């Protein structure tokens, strides 16, 4: 696999914060939504950044490489044109499908407006690999693909996320864009183990890393990109850095933009994590077949109580964890008839979480896909912007 140059620490360029981005100290590179720029009419801010030597990487959202149909040649040509116009060293997209229907299905085409998860099955992987190879042959620079966040898991999945990504890299040679915020989202919403995913990843294939903030509502984590980066996401970044030295790390912000000083402060926090990753003994993860140790919470109690850590906060607990805690407290003291049990034995039952979670999803995912994303009037063929970002969990 060809070595990629280091990118450093960067931020997602958006028209709303273009001036603030130009003033950020120590900025190495920026990422721009590919569909929101026109090759012949680049924004003045991007031109000035390029003149200063700041690398610009296009990030696509509309190829739908995880879909059943082959990639649209016109979309691939448009993406390649943007790569050339920006002088980018690589281009990125998502492991997702974004549309369905069409002539082959005798139904009208339907655009989802979201990045939808690909089933982790052998059949879906075969289709994805073929589409990735087509895209690689059409693009002038290396392609990297991002893991996405989702609210659901498909029935009959055959692989973990880490194993799915590892086989994708092995069969296609594609690079990976690892979003640690999405790993945290899937931990809260789907009960997946992000440490196992990191253990199973081919870290040598990582092109760069995404970091972003979100918010929890009714037990569901929303990857909003409109909030400060939480501590659990930074902890996952540190865990990744304990396994490899990522070529680049990028802060994503797509809404509720703060002042430039706050953006600079968040970048400083990210740099601090990169400069001091936690030490992790080899062979302690879930991928080596042994039971992993208890997860660490890096937020310590006030000084004077060394060696103690805070109990996991409500934001870090998954819905399954909270349900189990309440059940254990009840079963610890009561038997089947409500009487107190002397032997302290626990009874088990099947967790009703899927029903509870689905209800939460229905309550919290009705905000729609509207977005104020920039759409240049000079580029009629560009997609309608990054609609998935505002108020919606699915995303990269």
């Amino acid at each position: 696999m060809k070595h990629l140059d280091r990118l450093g620490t960067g931020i997602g360029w958006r028209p709303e914060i273009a001036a603030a981005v130009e003033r950020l100290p120590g900025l190495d590179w920026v990422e721009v939504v590919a569909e929101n720029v026109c090759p012949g009419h680049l924004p003045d801010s991007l031109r000035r950044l390029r003149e200063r030597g700041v690398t610009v990487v296009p990030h696509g959202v509309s190829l739908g490489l995880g879909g059943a149909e082959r990639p649209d040649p016109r979309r691939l040509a448009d993406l390649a044109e943007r790569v050339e116009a920006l002088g980018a060293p690589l281009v990125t997209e998502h492991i997702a499908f974004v549309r369905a229907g069409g002539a082959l299905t005798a139904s009208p085409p339907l655009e989802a407006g979201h990045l939808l998860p690909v089933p982790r099955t052998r059949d879906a992987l075969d289709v994805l690999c073929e589409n990735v190879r087509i895209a690689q042959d059409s693009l002038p620079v290396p392609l990297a693909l991002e893991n996405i966040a989702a609210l659901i898991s498909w029935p009959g999945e055959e692989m973990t996320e880490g194993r799915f990504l590892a086989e994708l890299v092995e069969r296609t040679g594609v690079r990976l864009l690892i979003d640690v915020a999405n790993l945290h989202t899937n931990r809260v919403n789907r009960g997946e183990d992000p440490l196992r995913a990191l253990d199973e990843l081919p870290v040598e294939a990582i092109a760069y890393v995404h970091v972003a903030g979100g918010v929890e509502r009714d037990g569901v984590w929303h990857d909003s990109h409109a909030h400060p980066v939480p501590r659990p996401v930074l902890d996952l970044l540190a865990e990744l850095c304990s396994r490899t030295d990522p070529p680049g790390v990028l802060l994503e912000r797509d809404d509720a933009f703060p002042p430039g000083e706050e953006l600079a402060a968040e970048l400083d926090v990210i740099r601090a994590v990169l400069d001091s990753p936690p030490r992790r003994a080899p062979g302690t993860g879930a991928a080596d077949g042994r039971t992993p140790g208890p997860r660490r919470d890096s937020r310590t109690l006030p000084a004077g109580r060394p060696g103690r850590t805070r109990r996991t906060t409500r934001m870090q607990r998954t819905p399954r964890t909270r349900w189990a805690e309440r059940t254990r407290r009840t079963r610890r003291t009561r038997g089947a008839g409500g009487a107190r049990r002397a032997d302290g034995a626990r009874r088990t039952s099947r967790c009703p979480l899927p029903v509870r979670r689905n209800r939460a999803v229905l309550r919290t995912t009705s905000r729609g896909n509207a977005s104020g994303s920039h759409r240049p009037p000079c580029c009629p063929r560009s997609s309608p912007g990054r609609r998935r970002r505002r108020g919606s969990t699915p995303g990269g």
Side-chain angles (χ1 to χ4, degrees):
M1 185 173 287
K2 183 181 177 181
H3 175 72
L4 289 176
D5 294 335
R6 291 197 63 82
L7 291 170
T9 307
I11 192 170
W13 183 92
R14 303 293 182 264
E16 296 87 344
I17 54 173
V21 168
E22 290 188 64
R23 294 192 297 267
L24 289 174
L27 186 67
D28 298 315
W29 65 293
V30 298
E31 180 191 79
V32 60
V33 179
E35 288 82 355
N36 288 349
V37 295
C38 291
H41 302 82
L42 293 180
D44 293 339
S45 174
L46 284 180
R47 287 207 304 269
R48 288 191 292 267
L49 287 171
R50 291 193 61 214
E51 290 169 359
R52 284 167 39 188
V54 176
T55 301
V56 182
V57 174
H59 185 54
V61 297
S62 65
L63 278 186
L65 295 176
E69 293 187 348
R70 296 294 179 253
D72 184 348
R74 178 182 60 82
R75 294 180 186 274
L76 286 171
D78 288 346
L79 188 56
E81 188 179 7
R82 285 158 173 78
V83 169
E84 299 285 2
L86 295 170
L90 76 161
V91 60
T92 59
E93 247 287 351
H94 297 83
I95 301 173
F97 70 96
V98 297
R99 64 185 61 87
L104 295 179
T105 63
S107 62
L110 176 65
E111 292 284 340
H114 286 284
L115 298 172
L116 301 176
V118 176
R120 296 173 196 158
T121 63
R122 296 289 174 186
D123 289 341
L125 181 61
D126 291 342
V127 173
L128 176 63
C129 289
E130 182 61 26
N131 289 346
V132 168
R133 294 189 193 99
I134 293 173
Q136 289 172 315
D137 292 341
S138 303
L139 296 170
V141 293
L143 172 67
L145 297 180
E146 178 182 356
N147 58 300
I148 72 166
L151 284 167
I152 64 168
S153 297
W154 292 99
E157 291 194 332
E158 301 166 353
M159 288 174 275
T160 62
E161 180 165 38
R163 188 65 247 158
F164 189 85
L165 296 177
E167 293 207 18
L168 174 65
V169 171
E170 182 179 352
R171 292 172 58 175
T172 65
V174 73
R175 304 281 180 163
L176 294 178
L177 193 181
I178 297 301
D179 192 317
V180 291
N182 289 346
L183 292 178
H184 172 68
T185 302
N186 291 340
R187 167 168 57 186
V188 176
N189 295 345
R190 302 203 280 183
E192 297 181 356
D193 185 357
L195 300 184
R196 180 178 183 181
L198 292 178
D199 285 335
E200 293 176 335
L201 287 177
V203 293
E204 69 280 358
I206 295 178
Y208 62 90
V209 178
H210 272 176
V211 179
V215 64
E216 184 188 24
R217 295 192 183 98
D218 297 328
V220 176
W221 186 266
H222 296 263
D223 185 40
S224 64
H225 294 197
H227 299 80
V229 180
R231 187 72 244 176
V233 173
L234 293 173
D235 290 344
L236 285 177
L237 175 62
E239 285 285 352
L240 187 149
C241 291
S242 71
R243 294 159 170 79
T244 186
D245 183 17
V249 178
L250 182 123
L251 171 64
E252 289 189 291
R253 191 74 179 228
D254 290 296
D255 203 355
F257 299 102
E261 294 76 13
E262 291 186 26
L263 293 175
E266 285 206 88
L267 288 173
D268 287 341
V269 171
I270 292 172
R271 293 187 184 102
V273 173
L274 297 177
D275 291 339
S276 56
R279 295 188 179 274
R280 182 173 183 269
T284 57
D288 59 3
R290 289 181 287 174
T291 302
R295 294 179 186 171
R296 300 187 306 273
D297 185 351
S298 62
R299 296 177 293 180
T300 58
L301 287 172
R305 303 180 69 181
R308 297 284 303 278
T309 57
R310 287 179 180 170
R311 184 181 180 184
T312 304
T313 64
R314 183 179 186 277
M315 179 173 289
Q316 289 175 280
R317 297 180 209 153
T318 66
R320 184 181 296 278
T321 303
R322 292 196 293 274
W323 180 89
E325 286 178 355
R326 290 195 300 270
T327 304
R328 281 198 297 268
R329 285 196 295 269
T330 300
R331 290 173 179 160
R332 212 173 272 134
T333 58
R334 297 188 181 276
R340 186 175 298 274
R341 297 185 61 153
D343 59 359
R346 300 181 187 177
R347 295 177 294 108
T348 59
S349 64
R350 188 171 182 83
C351 175
L353 178 63
V355 174
R356 294 167 55 83
R357 183 181 297 166
N358 290 342
R359 289 173 182 169
V361 169
L362 292 174
R363 287 199 304 272
T364 57
T365 56
S366 58
R367 292 183 58 187
N369 304 326
S371 172
S373 297
H374 172 67
R375 181 182 181 184
C378 60
C379 195
R381 292 193 297 178
S382 64
S383 72
R386 206 171 196 177
R387 294 177 293 174
R388 61 185 175 84
R389 285 298 184 200
R390 186 167 295 185
S392 175
T393 295

